């Protein structure tokens, strides 16, 4: 009996696991639904005889959240080396070669299983998202070899005996229509909240960029949310946001494409397959309307999987459409190239594919089985929890907000977005850090937080305008709107005041650093004079910020002078100098002596932003600073920084992005994970 287990952060590894399960059943291998590694126990792993693992890598070589529990048990030093002696396994990893820790999680899992006595029946596969065909370039040949090796190890049952069951088990859900369209709607229904979730409300939002920059390059918004009482976070934590699909798209898809009513209520249940455990359901246990299904539970705006095209090909009578859909679903190099050109390069959504192949009419259960579930997006929180608490001095509030009144690049847009009265209130003692009395906030209990959101808009090579699901969702949310959220522990945390900090955070990478800067500012304001000696002696913390234009995208530009008593702020505006481009690593080179002084005092380095190529360039700049100002060899400087990384004194909280056409790749949302 074959078990397929996955560790998935964004859902890609889970979808690969489902593909492997469907193929296993077609080839006659008894196989249950794929399960997250966290859904298994050590005892079940010990009892298993055949398993295939599909694992992605997150952060700085970390395993995904839904496999960390079992992984922590696996790495226990007390486990005997023969614990998994009866297990035969194979591992496929999903990674990105832009990351230094390429496929670390998969490689570490493979090595640990072998160390515990398990035997690999096939080589490890290492998919690379940077290939033109993505991870499938490695997955397809790896899977063919894996099936051959598995057939030798465990000959499959006759295909004829399992063909009927395999076809049925491809459908993951059953759908029951429980009420007529006119009997029920979703208007006014509260948000679905899973364990740990809460409903936050939008209390304020505004653009941080000048209008010309927002139109020609990218817009960035500050979205302030208010969490309900009892929900807390720490500086450096992450807010998990569940987006909702644009209502106009949902209406067109349900009413025009599926020819159903938005208010139709359905009960969707998972269908367990193959005699194994059933995977957890994307949908709640109670009936939901079709409007809710396609707004909050499945993502019709996502690029569909290859299996989606196979499913559509089964439910069209049009021979031209059937042939083309089957071509897209095949595994030949020509088909991959055609699918890349049509769908992946153009970021064509599942809804758009169904509009192009309008003759395909799959049953609702089949459609839901191959649409990607709605996935949350993770944003580093851009404020500390105490920054907006009640009871702070009105003078401090007014001093903080007043510069915005004269911060010319964004003031005109602020007036239009929030209104002159609201802006005037923000710039007086009615609102600001340490208070919840802004015109868009009430004074009731509950913490507030800022999200720094890059608004994703781009044009493909074929002149198709596309938007990011979550950023456009946050941008269009009115004041008072409810958003499903949760908190997660972040990579960064505020150290004691005596530990110096060096922040490197170009662009929206400043989000977690702004949170920690605010936290440290409050620490400084409350500290006795004896703890502030190093600041008075000139040994201030440092932050290196990077933007394109001072007058265009200088995010939170009016705030940084607030912290000048303890923080040296160095800013690189890469496009303001017509002679040369200036980046954060250039500012590090210029301040090398001060950087080394902080490192000698035990400073921690926090690097936040996109994963390529900035972190490697910043590392080289720190290496050069140690060579120039401390006389170290390159090898010694690198060794010192590597030791800081091992001791968690040099932390990179970075994120990657999918390869996109045109120059729009830099505008992708921040999931924090590859």
């Amino acid at each position: 009996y074959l078990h397929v287990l996955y560790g998935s952060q964004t859902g890609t590894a889970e979808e690969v696991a489902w593909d492997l399960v469907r193929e296993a059943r077609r080839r006659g291998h008894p196989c249950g639904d794929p399960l997250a590694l966290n859904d298994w126990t050590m005892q079940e792993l010990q009892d298993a005889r055949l398993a295939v693992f599909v694992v992605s890598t997150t952060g700085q070589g970390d395993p995904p959240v839904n496999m960390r529990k079992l992984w922590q048990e696996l790495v226990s030093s007390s486990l005997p080396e023969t614990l998994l002696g009866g297990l035969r396994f194979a591992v496929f990893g999903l990674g990105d070669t832009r990351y230094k820790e390429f496929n670390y999680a998969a490689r570490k899992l493979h090595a640990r299983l072998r160390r515990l006595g398990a035997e690999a029946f096939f080589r490890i596969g290492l998919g690379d998202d940077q290939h033109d065909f993505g991870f499938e370039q490695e997955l397809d040949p790896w899977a063919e070899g894996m099936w051959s090796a598995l057939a030798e190890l465990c000959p499959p049952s006759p295909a004829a005996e399992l063909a009927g069951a395999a076809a049925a088990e491809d459908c993951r859900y059953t759908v029951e229509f429980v009420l007529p369209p006119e009997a029920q709607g979703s208007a006014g229904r509260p948000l679905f909240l899973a364990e740990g979730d809460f409903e936050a409300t939008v209390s304020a939002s505004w653009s941080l960029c000048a209008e010309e920059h927002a139109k020609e390059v990218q817009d960035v918004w500050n979205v302030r949310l208010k969490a309900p009482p009892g929900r807390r976070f720490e500086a450096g934590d992450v807010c998990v946001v569940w987006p909702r699909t644009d209502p106009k798209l949902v209406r067109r898809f349900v009413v025009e494409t599926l020819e159903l009513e938005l208010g139709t209520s359905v009960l969707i249940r998972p269908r367990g397959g193959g005699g194994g455990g059933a995977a957890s359901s994307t949908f709640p246990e109670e009936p939901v309307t079709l409007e809710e299904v396609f707004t909050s539970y499945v993502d019709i705006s996502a690029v569909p999987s290859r299996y989606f095209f196979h499913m559509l090909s089964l439910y069209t009578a049009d021979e031209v459409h059937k042939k083309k859909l089957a071509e897209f679903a095949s595994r030949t190099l020509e088909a991959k190239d055609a699918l890349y050109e049509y769908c992946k390069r153009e970021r064509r959504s599942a809804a758009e594919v169904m509009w192009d192949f309008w003759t395909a009419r799959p049953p609702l259960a089949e459609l839901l089985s191959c649409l990607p579930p709605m996935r949350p997006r993770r944003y580093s929180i851009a404020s500390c929890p105490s920054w907006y608490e009640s009871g702070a001095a009105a003078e401090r509030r007014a001093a903080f907000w007043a510069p915005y009144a004269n911060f010319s690049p964004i003031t005109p847009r602020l007036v239009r977005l929030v209104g002159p009265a609201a802006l005037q209130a923000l710039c007086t003692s009615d609102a600001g850090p340490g208070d919840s009395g802004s015109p868009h906030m009430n004074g009731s209990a509950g913490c507030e937080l800022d999200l720094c959101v890059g608004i994703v808009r781009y044009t493909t090579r074929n002149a198709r305008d596309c938007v990011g699901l979550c950023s456009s969702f946050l941008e269009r949310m009115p004041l008072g709107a409810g958003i499903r959220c949760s908190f997660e522990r972040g990579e960064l945390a505020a150290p004691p005041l005596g530990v110096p900090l060096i922040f490197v955070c170009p662009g929206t990478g400043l989000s977690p650093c702004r949170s920690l800067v605010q936290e440290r500012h409050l620490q400084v304001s409350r500290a006795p004079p004896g703890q502030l000696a190093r600041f008075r002696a000139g040994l201030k913390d440092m932050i290196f910020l990077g933007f394109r234009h001072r007058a265009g995208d200088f995010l939170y530009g009016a705030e940084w002078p607030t912290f000048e008593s303890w923080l040296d702020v160095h800013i690189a505006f890469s496009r303001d100098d017509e002679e040369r481009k200036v980046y954060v690593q250039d500012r590090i080179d210029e301040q090398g002596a001060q950087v080394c002084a902080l490192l000698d005092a035990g400073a921690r380095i926090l690097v936040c932003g996109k994963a390529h190529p900035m972190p490697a360039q910043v590392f080289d700049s720190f290496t050069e600073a140690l060579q120039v100002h401390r006389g170290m060899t390159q090898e010694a400087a690198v060794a010192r920084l590597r030791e800081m990384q091992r001791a968690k004194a040099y932390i990179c909280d970075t994120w990657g992005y999918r390869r996109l056409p045109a120059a729009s790749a830099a505008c992708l949302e921040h999931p924090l994970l590859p």
Side-chain angles (χ1 to χ4, degrees):
Y1 189 86
L2 178 65
H3 302 278
V4 178
L5 305 171
Y6 63 85
S8 181
Q9 193 75 20
T10 61
T12 306
E14 181 181 356
E15 183 56 41
V16 171
W18 273 104
D19 281 344
L20 293 176
V21 165
R22 286 188 286 258
E23 186 64 21
R25 291 169 179 169
R26 290 191 190 97
R27 291 174 178 262
H29 295 287
C31 185
D33 288 350
L35 296 173
L37 278 155
N38 277 359
D39 293 335
W40 255 35
T41 65
M42 282 295 295
Q43 187 59 54
E44 287 175 309
L45 194 57
Q46 286 178 253
D47 295 339
R49 293 295 173 261
L50 279 175
V52 174
F53 300 86
V54 185
V55 176
S56 63
T57 297
T58 74
Q60 303 305 304
D62 301 317
V65 172
N66 62 5
M67 72 170 279
R68 289 180 187 173
K69 176 176 173 290
L70 186 62
W71 175 247
Q72 289 302 317
E73 296 181 52
L74 277 172
V75 296
S76 172
S77 60
S78 63
L79 297 179
E81 294 183 355
T82 58
L83 181 73
L84 303 179
L87 177 64
R88 301 295 180 267
F89 74 96
V91 174
F92 186 83
L94 287 83
D96 188 324
T97 48
R98 287 182 181 268
Y99 285 80
K100 172 181 170 289
E101 301 83 0
F102 174 61
N103 267 311
Y104 260 31
R107 288 189 280 169
K108 287 189 291 187
L109 176 64
H110 189 272
R112 185 56 180 163
L113 292 173
R114 293 184 63 186
R115 202 165 296 159
L116 293 175
E119 181 182 340
F121 70 84
F122 192 62
R123 67 171 177 87
I124 187 173
L126 301 176
D128 180 12
D129 198 46
Q130 288 306 310
H131 193 279
D132 281 346
F133 299 145
F135 63 86
E136 291 176 347
Q137 175 67 16
E138 167 66 8
L139 174 63
D140 290 342
W142 176 88
E144 282 301 318
M146 187 271 294
W147 295 126
S148 297
L150 182 61
E152 293 181 8
L153 180 66
C154 181
S157 303
E161 295 181 9
L162 296 176
E169 288 161 5
D170 278 353
C171 187
R172 295 162 58 176
Y173 301 104
T174 63
V175 176
E176 177 185 355
F177 289 82
V178 296
L179 289 175
E182 66 275 12
Q184 183 174 342
S186 58
R189 184 181 298 196
L191 294 178
F192 169 77
L193 301 176
E195 183 179 359
D197 293 347
F198 57 84
E199 182 177 348
T201 56
V202 178
S203 58
S205 61
W206 64 88
S207 173
L208 298 170
C209 297
E211 191 163 6
E212 183 178 359
H213 186 278
K215 288 181 178 179
E216 296 184 1
V217 184
Q218 183 188 23
D219 203 0
V220 180
W221 279 58
N222 187 90
V223 179
R224 184 165 302 157
L225 302 178
K226 188 177 185 65
R231 300 291 181 171
R232 302 294 299 173
F233 67 95
E234 301 295 331
D237 282 355
V238 172
C239 183
V240 181
V241 177
W242 290 83
R244 299 196 291 274
T245 306
D246 189 328
K248 295 179 182 178
L249 174 59
V250 173
R251 173 174 291 276
R252 180 182 176 187
F253 186 77
V254 174
V255 177
E256 299 181 18
T257 306
L258 301 185
E259 299 180 343
L260 296 170
E261 296 294 331
L262 291 171
T264 300
S265 192
V266 293
L267 181 60
I268 305 170
R269 297 189 180 95
R271 183 204 302 270
S280 59
S281 176
T282 300
F283 306 96
E285 296 180 356
E286 65 272 8
V288 290
T289 65
L290 292 180
E291 181 179 15
E292 292 172 306
V293 167
F294 293 102
T295 297
S296 302
Y297 296 102
V298 293
D299 187 0
I300 57 175
S301 69
V303 175
S305 67
R306 186 165 54 188
Y307 177 70
F308 182 79
F309 292 89
H310 169 72
M311 184 275 301
L312 291 184
S313 72
L314 302 178
Y315 295 100
T316 176
D318 185 286
E319 289 303 319
V320 175
H321 283 185
K322 181 184 289 290
K323 181 179 179 180
K324 194 63 179 179
L325 288 166
E327 176 191 343
F328 285 146
S330 69
R331 300 176 185 272
T332 66
L333 289 178
E334 294 79 7
K336 289 179 183 178
D337 189 57
L339 182 60
Y340 174 77
E341 292 294 326
Y342 167 72
C343 192
K344 296 185 178 180
R345 192 180 75 172
E346 285 296 305
R347 309 302 295 171
R348 206 177 301 273
S349 70
E352 291 172 314
V353 170
M354 290 197 67
W355 296 337
D356 286 348
F357 295 93
W358 68 92
T359 60
R361 284 292 182 265
L364 185 57
E366 296 281 0
L367 179 62
L368 296 178
S369 296
C370 61
L371 283 173
M374 184 66 73
R375 303 288 181 183
R377 273 58 169 174
R378 290 165 171 82
Y379 291 90
S380 292
I381 299 173
S383 59
C384 80
S386 301
W387 200 247
Y388 300 114
E389 283 184 351
S390 301
E395 293 82 2
R396 181 159 62 88
R397 300 198 304 266
F400 180 82
W401 277 109
Y404 278 100
N406 299 309
F407 191 51
S408 58
I410 67 169
T411 299
R413 297 197 76 202
L414 277 175
V415 172
R416 288 197 298 275
L417 291 167
V418 306
L423 182 60
Q424 182 179 4
L426 286 170
C427 299
T428 66
S429 61
D430 290 332
D435 183 64
S436 46
S438 89
H440 302 314
M441 295 179 281
N442 58 54
S444 61
C447 64
E448 291 190 292
L449 59 133
D450 287 338
L451 302 182
C452 183
V453 181
I455 306 302
V456 181
R457 297 189 186 93
Y458 58 93
T459 302
T460 69
R461 291 185 182 181
N462 289 339
R464 297 176 57 257
D465 293 328
C466 300
V467 299
L469 173 65
C470 195
S471 64
S472 61
F473 163 70
L474 290 171
E475 182 185 25
R476 71 173 182 266
M477 283 297 98
L479 299 186
I483 297 176
R484 178 185 171 189
C485 298
S486 62
F487 291 141
E488 283 184 0
R489 186 66 61 206
E491 295 287 334
L492 311 180
L497 191 59
V499 179
L501 289 172
I502 301 174
F503 301 96
V504 184
C505 43
T508 56
L510 61 72
S511 293
C513 296
R514 181 177 183 250
S515 173
L516 294 173
V517 165
Q518 291 179 351
E519 183 71 19
R520 174 140 291 191
H521 188 69
L522 296 179
Q523 288 177 335
V524 170
S525 67
R526 298 163 183 161
Q531 295 185 14
L532 305 178
R534 74 173 174 91
F535 301 120
R536 290 195 296 270
L539 202 62
K540 297 181 181 181
D541 293 351
M542 305 179 77
I543 188 168
F544 296 92
L545 302 168
F547 309 102
R548 283 175 172 255
H549 301 284
R550 179 182 291 274
D553 62 334
F554 188 10
L555 305 181
Y556 306 104
E559 298 181 11
W560 302 111
T562 304
F563 315 113
E564 62 185 4
S565 64
W566 62 272
L567 181 69
D568 282 336
V569 181
H570 303 280
I571 307 167
F573 295 103
S574 63
R575 303 301 194 274
D576 278 353
D577 189 338
E578 295 183 359
E579 299 297 323
R580 72 184 186 104
K581 295 178 181 178
V582 180
Y583 299 104
V584 288
Q585 54 268 30
D586 299 311
R587 296 292 184 236
I588 294 172
D589 293 340
E590 296 168 0
Q591 302 298 321
Q594 181 71 0
V595 165
C596 289
L598 285 182
L599 292 178
D600 292 343
R604 294 184 186 178
I605 298 174
L606 308 177
V607 181
C608 304
K610 282 185 291 190
H612 181 81
M614 181 271 298
Q617 296 169 336
V618 166
F619 187 93
D620 291 342
S621 292
F622 283 125
T623 301
E624 185 174 347
L626 289 171
Q627 291 178 258
V628 172
H629 299 281
R630 291 298 179 267
M632 302 177 70
T633 65
Q634 182 180 12
E635 293 75 12
V638 169
R640 178 173 176 178
L641 295 175
R642 294 296 185 208
E643 179 57 35
M644 289 180 64
Q645 290 178 329
R646 283 189 289 270
K648 300 296 184 182
Y650 187 136
I651 299 176
C652 290
D653 185 11
T654 59
W655 63 90
Y657 56 87
R658 296 182 182 92
R659 284 156 52 97
L660 285 182
S664 54
C667 300
L668 275 186
E669 294 159 8
H670 174 188
L672 292 177
L673 308 162

